[in-house]
Amino acid sequence: MSRFLTPGRIALLELLVLYSSGAVPQTATKPVLSFVISHVVATVPTSLPSESPLSIEVFESALSSLPSLHPGRSLFDDFLIQLFALHSFDHMYTRVECLDSILSNESRGTPGTGLGKGKARFARTSPVGQFVRRYAIEFKRLQFSDALILWQAFVALRHPQAERWKMRNPEAARSGRPEEPQLVGEGTAYHGTSNSSDLSQDMKVLVSINEVERLLECQVEWLQKSGVRLDEPIHTKLQEMVKEIATTPSLAYFISFFEHWRSGAYTSAIDSLHRYFDYTIQYSTGAKGYYQYALLHLAILHADFGCFDEAVEAMGECIATARENQDTSCLNFALSWLLHLRRAHPEISRLHRGGELSSLVGGESDGLAFLLHKAREGKLWNLLSGTLLSEATCEVMQGGNIYKALEHIYASSHVNIVHDIRSLIPAQLVLQSAVFGRLGQTHLSLQFPDILQDSYAAEAPVEERLRALCRTAYAMAYKGRYDEALRLLEETNLPVKRTLKLTHQLMAFMGVVKLKREIHRCNFAAATHTMHQLRPFLDFGEPDIVFEIQLLELRLLVRRSELSVAFEKVESLLDRNKTSEGSDLNHTLTLLVVKASVFAAAGVPVKGFSIALRAASTAHKAHNMPCLFEALKALCDILVDLGEYSAVVDLLEGILPMALESEDQYLIGSLYALLAEGHNGQGNDSYALDSKERAQNINVVTGYLDKAKEAFLQIEDLRGCQEVLTKKALIFRFRGEEVQAQETGDMSDSLRRNWTR
């Protein structure tokens, strides 16, 4: 394989020879030169070529509409004459020897003395001149076998236009002169008369080593941006191209590293990574500057497979090497990544408390302050925007000032817009969605994933797009739209199937949606089976998915009345959160609410009073509205048990309008059911049995029970529906409406049969 030359570049050179001969009209000069420059100036290809990057069809499309100096012909017809005039392999050598005739000896191209009227030369230092000179040098360096393959591929490239050339030039086609060859018939490979049907199909897509290397660079950039593996056809085509090169480019090993990494082949990924950096260091002049990046990738690889001790050790060496080599960008990225690792996996802080991790990055606030200072000092806008998002995340997770978190997000957005940093906008949108979700503004929270999918899908890594998709699907599950949520996840067009981590993430979310539905339906056999399938994700899943699975497991245990096991698990999780630096406050508050709910299910709700009150107070200070609503729901349940019905009614009427905005149907149904309990107890205490006020109060209670039933029906919650229907049946019997009471009981039995079968 040639390092630079391809059949398309031979044809491009022939177009330059045609132009320099004065055969191009003045009106066609600008289009021709624009076409040449667009293919001469080095650009990174954006996709694998299904045909030659400069196929004959490309020339036809560019030149057919341009006029010729000969009436009745187009410039493409003149170009074909020029192509077929290159009649033999020997003639191609001769052409190279004469290339100096189209170059000027001066720094600027002039019409050139002795060229004749209308002829032109190209400056040697111009892009076209550099192309011509490199063409000559590379051709002279070719081995004979490679040059012969190149000639055969050139013959195959021009062959589709042979009939047009013969029709437009019948005399030349009928003559026996070798300058005007016949494409079909007997001949040798040294002449253009070889049978092109015998040429290998690969000859038509012959590319140079230079193009393969630039193509590998393009694919590496795409891999780093998207975070997923290459499609199978593209990967296969790349491997075929690389096999044609005598010395495998080092970037090919880097692509193999990504392929093995994303497919879950840990050992093979490490081996490919070592190969890439070994070959890069061997053939690169600045070899010393690559070592810290090898350690950086190695640390990320270790962390992705759960080897956190090795990851911290490798990143520590990376930081030390980056400091030694004064590589600021690598150093800052390594520090930022360590902070992210500690936040995403709080257990690392427990393992390395006061040890290596603390010595590397210090406290989280100190590390973020250092990165902000360095980013502003060095005008590192990507780092500045990312650090601002990290500060916002830290504020949200630690229960800080939510308005300060929004300020950091908007500051990051300003940096992204001013400096056109599109790669960080998806992460900003996902974080905004999470913040508005914690503020209880679900309708606003779901707008940001839609904006990401509609406007920034091209710039977003696949992992961010999948996270946004899962957030949308989970919001559907909260509304009881389980089938739509599962369909959205199953029919996604995101390229996650060939990447192990993303496939696991998608499967985990689908399992969580199914488990949520089965728990609501009280279908414990199916729920237990789904829980067993989800249990492996507890070891290597994302922190948010892991916590959601743990939470659903606790709720399943409570539904199955395994309260002692549930209490032990929630205590264990709370202890782990207390000992983990940087754990999410939302997780702690949710677990406290679950603990209070376990006491309530055990028949001793008073024991959970202080727990629920503390959770509600902390959630209110942190503006964590979903946790606040859940804590107040548990508190109202305790107040009902204590007979404080007026307090229950006042509390629920205050929070219910805001809770409706959360669109969590289970929460809404539970609050309406508690509100009915409060009004019923209040009526029992305040009104006589047969009074008009008591009858009106019962109508109010019935209305709230109907609203609770609608919410529970929407999410298919069997236990909630049965409790509501049982209370309605009691009301009907109190009124003497036995028929309605019987129908209510039949409805409860029907729901149980439909949802638990």
Side-chain angles (χ1 to χ4, degrees):
M1 180 183 288
S2 167
R3 168 159 291 277
F4 175 76
L5 298 179
T6 61
R9 287 196 168 117
I10 297 177
L12 193 65
L13 181 69
E14 293 303 312
L15 179 60
L16 291 174
V17 173
L18 180 68
Y19 175 82
S20 67
S21 67
V24 177
Q26 187 174 1
T27 56
T29 298
K30 184 176 179 180
V32 168
L33 290 179
S34 298
F35 173 78
V36 170
I37 289 296
S38 67
H39 291 90
V40 162
V41 177
T43 57
V44 177
T46 57
S47 61
L48 286 173
S50 57
E51 56 184 10
S52 174
L54 271 173
S55 64
I56 196 66
E57 288 78 13
V58 175
F59 287 96
E60 183 180 11
S61 175
L63 303 178
S64 293
S65 59
L66 300 179
S68 169
L69 294 177
H70 303 91
R73 291 177 177 262
S74 67
L75 189 60
F76 183 65
D77 294 320
D78 296 341
F79 176 66
L80 287 181
I81 295 175
Q82 184 72 28
L83 282 187
F84 284 98
L86 198 63
H87 54 78
S88 66
F89 184 55
D90 181 64
H91 193 188
M92 188 167 64
Y93 267 98
T94 306
R95 176 78 76 200
V96 174
E97 297 296 332
C98 301
L99 285 181
D100 279 344
S101 62
I102 65 173
L103 296 177
S104 170
N105 291 326
E106 301 176 5
S107 60
R108 293 184 178 272
T110 59
T113 307
L115 283 176
K117 185 178 180 181
K119 296 188 178 181
R121 284 182 174 176
F122 303 103
R124 292 180 177 272
T125 55
S126 67
V128 175
Q130 292 177 16
F131 168 77
V132 172
R133 289 189 293 127
R134 183 173 183 183
Y135 181 101
I137 293 173
E138 295 287 347
F139 190 87
K140 292 175 182 178
R141 289 177 177 175
L142 279 180
Q143 296 184 1
F144 179 78
S145 58
D146 292 335
L148 184 58
I149 292 174
L150 183 64
W151 166 251
Q152 292 174 329
F154 171 71
V155 172
L157 176 120
R158 70 184 183 184
H159 174 63
Q161 296 294 331
E163 292 299 325
R164 176 170 178 169
W165 171 76
K166 287 190 289 185
M167 183 179 67
R168 294 281 182 162
N169 304 274
E171 295 182 1
R174 284 195 300 269
S175 67
R177 293 181 300 167
E179 291 83 359
E180 294 136 358
Q182 307 229 355
L183 266 286
V184 180
E186 296 181 357
T188 68
Y190 293 93
H191 292 77
T193 57
S194 61
N195 189 348
S196 294
S197 62
D198 294 336
L199 294 174
S200 169
Q201 183 70 16
D202 291 338
M203 294 299 180
K204 298 182 181 180
V205 293
L206 187 67
V207 292
S208 65
I209 296 176
N210 180 261
E211 287 175 332
V212 172
E213 290 177 346
R214 289 192 290 119
L215 190 59
L216 290 174
E217 292 174 8
C218 172
Q219 298 306 317
V220 167
E221 182 181 352
W222 184 86
L223 285 170
Q224 292 176 326
K225 176 183 176 181
S226 65
V228 297
R229 298 170 64 192
L230 296 173
D231 292 336
E232 188 63 33
I234 295 179
H235 188 223
T236 303
K237 189 68 178 178
L238 275 175
Q239 287 181 325
E240 292 175 357
M241 290 181 176
V242 170
K243 286 179 181 177
E244 297 295 327
I245 305 176
T247 303
T248 303
S250 60
L251 278 176
Y253 295 110
F254 197 65
I255 290 179
S256 297
F257 157 67
F258 263 98
E259 288 289 309
H260 294 310
W261 175 17
R262 297 306 184 186
S263 64
Y266 179 53
T267 306
S268 299
I270 291 180
D271 180 63
S272 297
L273 182 64
H274 281 295
R275 284 173 177 265
Y276 166 67
F277 280 101
D278 286 345
Y279 283 112
T280 303
I281 290 174
Q282 181 179 355
Y283 296 110
S284 175
T285 53
K288 188 178 180 181
Y290 285 95
Y291 184 57
Q292 63 264 27
Y293 291 100
L295 294 167
L296 181 67
H297 284 88
L298 185 62
I300 296 173
L301 177 65
H302 283 315
D304 213 35
F305 284 90
C307 304
F308 298 119
D309 290 337
E310 292 84 349
V312 172
E313 182 181 354
M315 194 59 79
E317 190 174 351
C318 169
I319 291 173
T321 307
R323 283 172 175 164
E324 180 183 347
N325 295 337
Q326 298 182 350
D327 190 340
T328 307
S329 59
C330 181
L331 174 62
N332 292 334
F333 180 84
L335 294 173
S336 177
W337 184 86
L338 273 178
L339 289 172
H340 167 75
L341 181 68
R342 182 164 61 181
R343 186 186 307 115
H345 300 277
E347 66 273 12
I348 299 178
S349 299
R350 184 174 67 253
L351 295 174
H352 294 273
R353 185 180 297 276
E356 185 177 0
L357 186 59
S358 299
S359 64
L360 289 174
V361 295
E364 186 164 14
S365 58
D366 295 337
L368 290 173
F370 172 78
L371 290 175
L372 277 176
H373 173 71
K374 288 297 182 182
R376 291 192 175 103
E377 181 182 5
K379 296 183 179 181
L380 307 172
W381 307 121
N382 285 65
L383 178 64
L384 177 60
S385 177
T387 307
L388 287 170
L389 290 179
S390 296
E391 279 204 331
T393 304
C394 183
E395 286 287 339
V396 173
M397 291 181 63
Q398 295 179 359
N401 191 334
I402 196 70
Y403 303 110
K404 191 173 182 180
L406 287 171
E407 181 183 348
H408 290 317
I409 291 174
Y410 293 140
S412 173
S413 177
H414 175 74
V415 173
N416 293 338
I417 293 171
V418 170
H419 299 284
D420 195 25
I421 307 174
R422 295 174 178 266
S423 60
L424 289 176
I425 293 179
Q428 168 209 322
L429 292 172
V430 172
L431 181 56
Q432 278 183 281
S433 177
V435 170
F436 280 100
R438 293 201 177 183
L439 288 173
Q441 303 295 318
T442 306
H443 60 290
L444 284 177
S445 174
L446 295 179
Q447 297 299 316
F448 296 104
D450 292 340
I451 293 173
L452 190 154
Q453 300 288 4
D454 295 339
S455 304
Y456 296 98
E459 290 81 13
V462 176
E463 188 172 1
E464 295 289 351
R465 294 177 61 190
L466 180 61
R467 188 176 288 115
L469 181 72
C470 292
R471 179 175 290 274
T472 302
Y474 208 53
M476 291 179 178
Y478 270 107
K479 301 176 186 178
R481 295 157 55 186
Y482 303 111
D483 292 330
E484 290 183 45
L486 291 173
R487 193 180 308 115
L488 181 67
L489 294 174
E490 289 173 354
E491 298 178 359
T492 177
N493 57 358
L494 296 178
V496 301
K497 301 294 184 181
R498 299 184 66 247
T499 302
L500 185 64
K501 180 181 178 181
L502 299 185
T503 302
H504 284 165
Q505 188 173 341
L506 182 63
M507 292 172 59
F509 261 98
M510 292 174 64
V512 164
V513 172
K514 293 177 183 178
L515 180 59
K516 197 175 187 68
R517 176 166 60 179
E518 299 304 338
I519 290 175
H520 283 311
R521 288 180 170 183
C522 292
N523 194 348
F524 297 136
T528 304
H529 176 70
T530 306
M531 188 64 231
H532 283 311
Q533 291 180 325
L534 289 174
R535 204 174 298 280
F537 294 107
L538 295 173
D539 297 328
F540 56 82
E542 292 293 312
D544 289 339
I545 300 177
V546 170
F547 179 73
E548 195 63 38
I549 295 173
Q550 292 170 341
L551 190 61
L552 288 175
E553 184 180 15
L554 290 171
R555 289 177 178 170
L556 177 60
L557 292 171
V558 172
R559 283 283 177 112
R560 291 190 309 195
S561 299
E562 299 180 19
L563 301 180
S564 59
V565 179
F567 186 80
E568 291 176 1
K569 282 186 176 294
V570 75
E571 281 289 295
S572 173
L573 293 173
L574 282 170
D575 290 341
R576 185 184 304 175
N577 278 7
K578 289 177 182 177
T579 57
S580 298
E581 181 185 352
S583 59
D584 195 341
L585 180 65
N586 178 65
H587 295 177
T588 303
L589 295 177
T590 304
L591 290 173
L592 288 174
V593 174
V594 172
K595 185 177 179 180
S597 301
V598 172
F599 281 124
V604 284
V606 179
K607 286 190 174 182
F609 181 82
S610 61
I611 298 173
L613 191 61
R614 185 168 75 251
S617 175
T618 307
H620 182 261
K621 292 177 182 177
H623 292 83
N624 192 334
M625 306 311 290
C627 279
L628 175 62
F629 298 147
E630 291 286 348
L632 291 178
K633 182 188 75 173
L635 194 61
C636 288
D637 200 5
I638 297 169
L639 292 175
V640 166
D641 187 71
L642 294 174
E644 299 290 340
Y645 300 112
S646 297
V648 170
V649 172
D650 293 340
L651 195 57
L652 290 176
E653 287 180 347
I655 68 168
L656 194 54
M658 292 184 291
L660 290 173
E661 295 182 356
S662 70
E663 301 181 3
D664 184 348
Q665 295 302 315
Y666 180 75
L667 173 66
I668 293 170
S670 300
L671 293 180
Y672 273 126
L674 285 170
L675 190 57
E677 286 275 0
H679 275 285
N680 185 56
Q682 198 176 39
N684 290 337
D685 295 340
S686 304
Y687 309 120
L689 189 62
D690 297 327
S691 65
K692 182 180 178 180
E693 290 81 4
R694 178 66 185 277
Q696 291 176 346
N697 185 70
I698 289 177
N699 290 334
V700 172
V701 171
T702 304
Y704 285 133
L705 289 176
D706 287 336
K707 289 182 179 295
K709 185 188 71 173
E710 291 175 6
F712 287 135
L713 280 174
Q714 193 167 343
I715 60 172
E716 304 176 6
D717 188 86
L718 178 61
R719 183 167 296 181
C721 287
Q722 286 180 330
E723 291 177 355
V724 169
L725 291 173
T726 300
K727 293 173 184 177
K728 285 193 67 178
L730 290 174
I731 292 174
F732 287 136
R733 289 193 175 92
F734 174 76
R735 290 174 174 175
E737 300 171 354
E738 290 296 333
V739 176
Q740 289 84 347
Q742 184 63 36
E743 289 177 353
T744 303
D746 293 340
M747 184 184 297
S748 178
D749 295 337
S750 176
L751 291 176
R752 183 173 61 253
R753 286 194 301 269
N754 291 335
W755 289 343
T756 59
R757 61 185 177 184

